[in-house]
């Protein structure tokens, strides 16, 4: 949780840009102010002392900013104990209170690039007033979403560790911090001060957090809400042995009190700390301009979910320490540092209901229906809950206030309930009960096989929901890639409001459709008034225009495009046809391997289970699923009707293509100017190589294009040859004997050092 300030300082007295104060606050303003103070204190206590956030960071930031706004307009309301004048939270009575030798401050938060630019411009103007006309260098680093900790070293030995607390007094958590292996109990080397406070952030790495939560769910326990609260809760365990079980790490990012340490810059200080054995984050750069800072923010915003830890923003600091001292502090924050906050990816909302969806292979998946809320730049009203065991493990009930997370393009996820608010819900919360019959066709639900956690609708052939999902899937980019056949079109083809019998009762008939077959298809749509939904619905034609006396109904432009794309889809390669069949476990990778190994649908169909399993990238589970799929008569009907309609069921073998990559495993990462990702994989497979998705010691070459990222880092760490696009062409044409040993020194590797600790893609 941030203790945010906007571009303004805490009060009008120390804010050069503050709005002119109003003469007398009205009763409603005073009432709002008092309510805000109480809420901010309540939420801050719950967050810092109880590790139980009652609102999301975004909601807290909005409340805090409003509090500052009122104080700027009415400075006479501001008391010394206002939350805007305090740092962090109170000190828990469960731990011994310790005073920091030097106060720990919070950071000023900004929430837009415009605010950041204004802050930097103001800071640079202040530096000029100090007599320094040189442009400042900005140490720019990731804002770790963890718990601030202060380490006290005397004569190189760790004697105390404490939380930030209220900035002056923290909680003694020494015994728990000693369980974090990478925090040295004794510094290495020489030259460290006799006494020194080291500040940093304790966190749980993203991958370790996911694995820890999976273990909790398997054990029937509720998962932890997020890495930040997990780290805070871990350090507040009464028993250090319990803390030791948590995968905690720490990065240090500054100093408090120190006796005799003289360095010129923050970055130089980081180098010294690392030399003494302290863990310094690799994610920082010293930059010379606002433009470079903005590029840093965009770069890490684009790949924030491939980093080793969660971040919620970027911290920008004046690198020069003398300038830092000259700029000084407000009552709460340094004037030489600011935190830019990315749009929130975790919010709180109400869980209105838990419904279920029937997937293309019959799997029945619960999902949450929530009060729509904006998160990660989009409005979300639904989120997956995976299966009934996950619902139970997460402990969510219908009517709960829940934590919702959406990381970039990842499917929104309900993390868990805000338990402290459960008893306050009206109507009372209730348990979710998994249905026993398919909500789409009424067939009794059951596990696919003994021991399965998931339950399925066994009516694969006739279940309308499964057919709808299969039709939508086969049109996807991994299948036939039919752009005009989206989600609503799949519903219109399989489950229209009219006619009673839909155009498709099986995907077998897809390529037999004619435009006239769709003329009477109608769907139910909500009426709108000036773009706003009215709550009233009407039946409208989907594939044809409405038609009038003067202009008869005819296929829409999208419908005409659909039939053109259906015709084009018939010539797609064999692997795409395999993906389109919705065979359980058979995705693009296995489909490519099968198409390369057998060349035709008939050869795959007639192969033994053992032969299928021996194909690299297939294995026994997929082999068994294939044989089971081909054993169904209605599945064979799909193949026969597609083939009769002209769908390609055999790849053309170009015997002239040399098998230059036999026995080689190639990983392609980043973007190549003349190869799409699929084209690069196709080129590897047709030459006998294996196109892998991750780098390991068995990788023969890595082909790195622009924005190659962590796969390039992994290749360099393992000493695997790295090729650029020219090297890749040489490898394809003439094999490994002609390929350069490495092209890792090209521009594609420029960022490898700063990204070297990112999680493997």
């Amino acid at each position: 949780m941030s203790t945010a300030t906007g571009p303004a300082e805490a009060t009008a007295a120390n804010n050069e840009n503050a709005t002119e104060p109003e003469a007398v606050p009205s009763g409603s303003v005073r009432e709002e102010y008092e309510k805000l103070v109480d809420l901010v204190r309540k939420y801050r206590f719950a967050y810092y002392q109880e590790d139980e956030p009652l609102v999301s960071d975004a909601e807290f930031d909005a409340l805090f900013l409003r509090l500052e706004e009122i104080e700027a307009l009415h400075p006479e309301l501001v008391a010394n104990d206002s939350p805007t004048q305090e740092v962090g939270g109170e000190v828990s009575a469960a731990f011994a209170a310790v005073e920091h030798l030097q106060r720990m401050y919070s950071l000023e938060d900004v929430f837009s690039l415009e605010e950041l630019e204004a802050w930097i411009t103001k800071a640079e103007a202040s530096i000029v007033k100090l007599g320094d006309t040189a442009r400042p260098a900005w140490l720019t680093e990731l804002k770790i979403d963890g718990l601030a900790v202060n380490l006290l070293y005397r004569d190189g030995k760790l004697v105390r560790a404490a939380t930030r607390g209220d900035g002056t007094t923290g909680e003694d958590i020494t015994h728990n911090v000693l369980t974090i292996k990478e925090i040295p109990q004794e510094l290495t080397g020489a030259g460290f001060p006799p006494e020194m406070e080291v500040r940093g952030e304790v966190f749980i790495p993203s991958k370790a957090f996911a694995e820890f939560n999976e273990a909790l769910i398997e054990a029937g326990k509720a998962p932890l809400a997020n890495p930040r609260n997990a780290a805070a809760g871990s350090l507040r365990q009464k028993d250090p042995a319990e803390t030791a079980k948590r995968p905690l790490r720490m990065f240090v990012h500054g100093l408090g009190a120190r006796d005799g340490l003289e360095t010129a810059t923050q970055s130089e200080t980081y180098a010294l700390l690392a030399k003494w054995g302290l863990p310094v984050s690799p994610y920082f750069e010293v930059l010379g301009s606002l433009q470079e800072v903005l590029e840093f923010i965009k770069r890490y915003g684009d790949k924030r979910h491939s980093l080793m830890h969660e971040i919620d923003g970027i911290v920008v600091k004046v690198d020069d320490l003398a300038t830092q001292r000259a700029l000084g502090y407000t009552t709460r924050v340094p004037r030489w540092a600011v935190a830019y906050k990315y749009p929130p990816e975790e919010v709180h909302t109400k869980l209105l209901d838990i419904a279920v969806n029937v997937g293309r292979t019959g799997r029945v998946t619960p999902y949450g229906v929530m009060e729509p809320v904006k998160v990660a730049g989009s409005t979300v009203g639904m989120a997956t809950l995976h299966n009934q065991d996950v619902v139970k493990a997460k402990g969510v009930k219908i009517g709960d206030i829940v934590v919702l997370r959406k990381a970039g393009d990842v499917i929104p996820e309900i993390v868990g309930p805000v338990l402290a608010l459960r008893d306050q819900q009206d109507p009372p919360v209730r348990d979710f009960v998994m249905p026993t019959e398919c909500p789409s066709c009424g067939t009794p639900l059951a596990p696919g096989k003994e021991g399965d956690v998931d339950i399925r609708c066994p009516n694969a052939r006739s279940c309308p929901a499964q057919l709808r999902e299969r039709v939508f899937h086969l049109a996807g980019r991994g299948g036939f890639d039919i752009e005009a056949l989206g989600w609503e079109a799949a519903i219109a083809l399989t489950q229209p409001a009219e006619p009673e019998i839909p155009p498709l009762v099986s995907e077998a008939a897809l390529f037999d459709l004619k435009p006239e077959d769709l003329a009477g298809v109608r769907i139910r749509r909500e009426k709108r008034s000036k773009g706003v939904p009215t709550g009233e619905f009407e039946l409208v034609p989907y594939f044809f225009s409405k038609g009038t006396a003067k202009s008869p109904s005819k296929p829409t432009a999208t419908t005409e495009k659909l039939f053109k794309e259906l015709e084009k889809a018939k010539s797609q390669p064999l692997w795409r046809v395999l993906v389109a069949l919705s065979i359980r476990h058979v995705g693009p990778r296995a489909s490519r391997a099968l198409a390369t190994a057998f060349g035709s649908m008939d050869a795959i169909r007639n192969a033994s289970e053992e032969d299928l399993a021996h194909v690299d990238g297939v294995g026994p589970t997929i082999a068994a699923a294939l044989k089971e799929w081909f054993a169904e008569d209605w599945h064979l009907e799909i193949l026969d009707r597609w083939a009769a309609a002209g769908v390609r069921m055999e790849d053309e073998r170009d015997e002239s293509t040399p098998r230059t990559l036999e026995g080689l495993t190639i990983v392609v990462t980043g973007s190549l100017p003349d190869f799409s990702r699929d084209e690069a994989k196709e080129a590897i497979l047709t030459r006998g190589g294996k196109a892998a998705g991750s780098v390991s010691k068995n990788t023969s070459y890595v082909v790195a294009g622009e924005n190659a990222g962590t796969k390039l880092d992994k290749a360099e760490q393992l000493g695997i040859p790295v090729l650029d696009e020219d090297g890749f062409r040489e490898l394809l044409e003439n094999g490994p004997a002609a390929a350069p040993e490495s092209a890792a020194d090209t521009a594609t590797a420029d960022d490898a050092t700063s990204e070297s600790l990112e999680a493997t893609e």
Side-chain angles (χ1 to χ4, degrees):
M1 176 174 289
S2 47
T3 47
T5 67
E9 299 287 353
T11 68
N14 58 17
N15 180 359
E16 297 174 11
N17 301 314
T19 307
E20 188 69 27
E22 296 178 4
V24 180
S26 67
S28 60
V29 170
R30 187 180 295 275
E31 186 177 318
E32 180 190 3
Y33 177 75
E34 291 173 353
K35 183 178 179 180
L36 281 170
V37 168
D38 289 343
L39 281 175
V40 167
R41 284 177 178 155
K42 174 185 174 181
Y43 295 152
R44 184 182 273 173
F45 182 84
Y47 186 89
Y48 284 106
Q49 306 309 321
E50 298 177 342
D51 301 317
E52 180 66 63
L54 300 179
V55 294
S56 67
D57 279 6
E59 291 172 278
F60 182 86
D61 287 342
L63 291 172
F64 200 92
L65 287 169
R66 176 56 181 156
L67 187 65
E68 286 188 313
E69 181 182 313
I70 293 175
E71 290 187 346
L73 292 170
H74 304 286
E76 68 276 14
L77 292 176
V78 183
N80 290 333
D81 63 348
S82 166
T84 64
Q85 310 302 302
E86 300 169 346
V87 174
E90 301 172 15
V91 177
S92 170
F95 293 86
V98 293
E99 285 197 20
H100 306 308
L101 303 184
Q102 181 175 309
R103 188 177 183 189
M104 293 182 72
Y105 288 84
S106 183
L107 283 172
E108 181 173 338
D109 290 340
V110 295
F111 300 92
S112 70
L113 298 178
E114 291 76 18
E115 287 181 291
L116 176 64
E117 183 174 358
W119 186 94
I120 288 179
T121 300
K122 180 180 176 182
E124 288 179 339
S126 298
I127 292 170
V128 170
K129 287 180 181 178
L130 294 172
D132 188 351
T133 57
R135 181 181 292 275
W138 300 103
L139 186 144
T140 310
E141 60 192 0
L142 307 189
K143 187 176 184 296
I144 303 171
D145 200 8
L147 183 73
V149 170
N150 186 41
L151 307 176
L152 177 60
Y153 284 89
R154 289 197 179 112
D155 297 323
K157 294 181 180 180
L158 179 61
V159 297
R160 191 175 73 202
T163 63
R164 180 171 61 184
D166 63 6
T168 301
T169 305
E171 302 150 321
D172 191 331
I173 53 169
T174 306
H175 293 301
N176 289 338
V177 166
L178 289 174
T179 67
I180 304 174
K181 295 178 181 178
E182 67 183 334
I183 297 178
Q185 297 185 33
E186 188 166 353
L187 301 178
T188 58
F192 38 78
E195 187 170 68
M196 173 176 66
E197 287 183 311
V198 179
R199 273 76 191 267
E201 205 84 7
V202 171
F203 62 92
I204 295 181
S206 302
K207 184 178 179 182
F209 177 74
E211 292 170 349
F212 192 80
N213 261 353
E214 285 172 9
L216 288 176
I217 291 173
E218 287 177 9
K221 299 178 181 178
L224 302 175
N226 56 55
R228 189 269 163 202
N229 283 91
S234 299
L235 289 177
R236 290 195 174 97
Q237 295 288 326
K238 295 291 185 65
D239 183 359
E242 289 300 313
T243 302
K245 296 176 184 177
R246 306 286 179 94
L248 297 171
R249 294 191 61 179
M250 181 178 185
F251 281 149
V252 301
H253 53 56
L255 294 175
R258 63 266 204 187
D259 182 10
L261 176 64
E262 295 297 333
T263 51
T265 63
Q266 184 97 8
S267 51
E268 184 184 331
T269 305
Y270 282 6
L272 268 180
L273 294 175
K275 182 180 177 182
W276 294 332
L278 288 156
V280 175
S281 171
Y283 302 121
F284 78 89
E285 295 177 24
V286 179
L287 305 173
S289 69
L290 170 65
Q291 186 57 41
E292 289 177 312
V293 171
L294 296 180
E295 289 170 0
F296 184 97
I297 288 171
K298 183 181 186 308
R299 185 179 356 134
Y300 280 101
D302 289 343
K303 59 186 177 186
R304 61 187 291 193
H305 303 296
S306 63
L307 303 173
M308 71 177 298
H309 56 67
E310 293 288 325
I311 64 172
D312 61 357
I314 299 294
V315 177
V316 183
K317 304 174 180 176
V318 173
D319 191 38
D320 184 76
L321 295 181
T323 305
Q324 287 186 12
R325 289 190 291 270
L327 288 172
Y329 300 81
T330 70
T331 56
R332 249 185 6 93
V333 300
R335 291 190 175 92
W336 44 266
V338 69
Y340 166 78
K341 301 288 288 290
Y342 288 118
E345 295 193 313
E346 198 168 277
V347 296
H348 290 188
T349 189
K350 186 161 188 149
L351 181 62
L352 302 175
D353 197 6
I354 297 178
V356 297
N357 179 65
V358 183
R360 59 191 173 90
T361 61
R363 180 186 174 194
V364 180
T365 305
Y367 65 92
V369 180
M370 301 159 299
E371 286 184 352
V373 61
K374 192 162 186 178
V375 55
S378 61
T379 300
V380 174
M382 294 186 293
T384 183
L385 281 164
H386 302 292
N387 58 53
Q388 66 271 32
D389 285 5
V390 171
V391 176
K392 183 178 179 181
K394 287 179 181 287
V396 293
K397 296 176 184 286
I398 297 168
D400 267 329
I401 300 298
V402 295
V403 179
L404 177 71
R405 178 184 299 147
K406 183 177 183 292
D409 294 327
V410 177
I411 296 171
E413 176 194 7
I414 294 172
V415 178
V418 182
L419 291 174
L421 299 177
R422 174 169 284 173
D423 293 340
Q424 303 172 27
Q425 301 312 304
D426 184 23
V429 301
R430 67 184 194 276
D431 291 327
F432 165 69
V433 179
M434 194 72 175
T436 57
E437 295 181 348
C438 176
S440 181
C441 66
T443 304
L445 302 175
K449 62 178 184 295
E450 189 177 348
D452 275 3
V453 173
D454 297 325
I455 62 173
R456 297 177 182 273
C457 170
N459 182 24
R461 181 174 190 173
S462 304
C463 177
Q466 292 185 59
L467 175 60
R468 175 197 66 215
E469 297 286 345
R470 291 198 302 269
V471 169
F472 178 62
H473 168 77
L474 67 82
R477 290 187 178 180
F480 285 119
D481 194 15
I482 304 170
E483 185 180 337
L485 181 44
W487 176 247
E488 194 174 42
I491 295 173
L493 288 171
T494 62
Q495 297 173 279
E498 289 183 359
E500 186 175 335
I501 298 176
L504 288 183
V505 292
S506 165
E507 60 265 53
L510 178 66
F511 292 97
D512 297 328
L513 288 174
K514 298 178 177 60
E516 54 266 30
D517 298 331
L518 309 181
V521 173
R522 283 171 169 73
I523 63 169
R524 192 176 303 277
R525 274 198 181 140
E526 188 174 7
K527 292 181 179 180
R528 290 176 172 264
S529 175
K530 297 181 180 179
V532 179
T534 63
E536 298 180 9
F537 289 82
E538 62 179 339
L539 287 180
V540 296
Y542 184 80
F543 295 103
F544 275 58
S545 62
K546 285 186 177 182
T548 64
K550 294 183 179 180
S551 176
S553 178
K554 62 180 181 179
T556 65
T558 302
T559 301
E560 291 177 348
K561 181 179 180 182
L562 170 63
F563 280 93
K564 288 179 182 178
E565 291 187 353
L566 282 170
E567 191 62 33
K568 181 180 175 183
K570 294 177 183 179
S571 61
Q572 290 283 21
L574 178 62
W575 73 268
R576 288 185 176 274
V577 180
L578 281 166
V579 172
L581 292 172
S582 286
I583 303 171
R584 192 177 177 191
H585 306 305
V586 180
R589 182 182 176 192
S591 295
R592 286 176 180 277
L594 289 163
T596 301
F598 295 99
S600 73
M601 190 68 73
D602 282 344
I604 297 169
R605 175 181 170 183
N606 295 322
S608 68
E609 188 169 328
E610 183 180 6
D611 287 343
L612 291 168
H614 279 141
V615 174
D616 189 18
V618 178
T621 299
I622 294 175
L626 283 161
K627 297 306 289 184
E628 183 180 334
W629 193 89
F630 282 113
E632 292 283 348
D633 289 342
W634 70 276
H635 289 160
L636 301 183
E637 181 191 353
I638 296 171
L639 292 179
D640 291 343
R641 291 187 66 175
W642 283 6
V647 175
R648 181 170 148 186
M649 294 289 170
E650 183 174 356
D651 281 343
E652 297 176 6
R653 294 271 185 174
D654 185 358
E655 300 300 334
S656 65
T657 302
R659 305 285 284 180
T660 53
L661 305 184
E662 289 280 6
L664 300 182
T665 299
I666 317 293
V667 173
V668 178
T669 180
S671 57
L672 303 175
D674 296 329
F675 288 88
S676 69
R677 190 63 61 89
D678 285 342
E679 288 169 343
K681 287 182 178 179
E682 202 74 43
I684 294 166
L685 293 171
T686 55
R687 288 164 177 79
K690 176 182 176 183
S694 59
V695 178
S696 72
K697 62 182 180 181
N698 298 320
T699 304
S700 307
Y701 291 92
V702 168
V703 179
E706 188 178 351
N707 300 319
T710 56
K711 292 178 185 177
L712 174 59
D713 300 335
K714 187 83 175 284
E716 292 178 335
Q717 291 168 9
L718 295 176
I720 294 166
V722 177
L723 306 178
D724 59 14
E725 186 167 346
D726 290 338
F728 181 44
R729 290 183 185 281
E730 191 72 23
L731 179 69
L732 293 173
E733 187 171 345
N734 300 310
E741 286 190 10
S742 179
D745 293 331
T746 63
T748 58
D750 284 348
D751 293 331
T753 302
S754 65
E755 300 168 0
S756 62
L757 289 183
E758 291 183 16
T760 302
E761 289 183 52

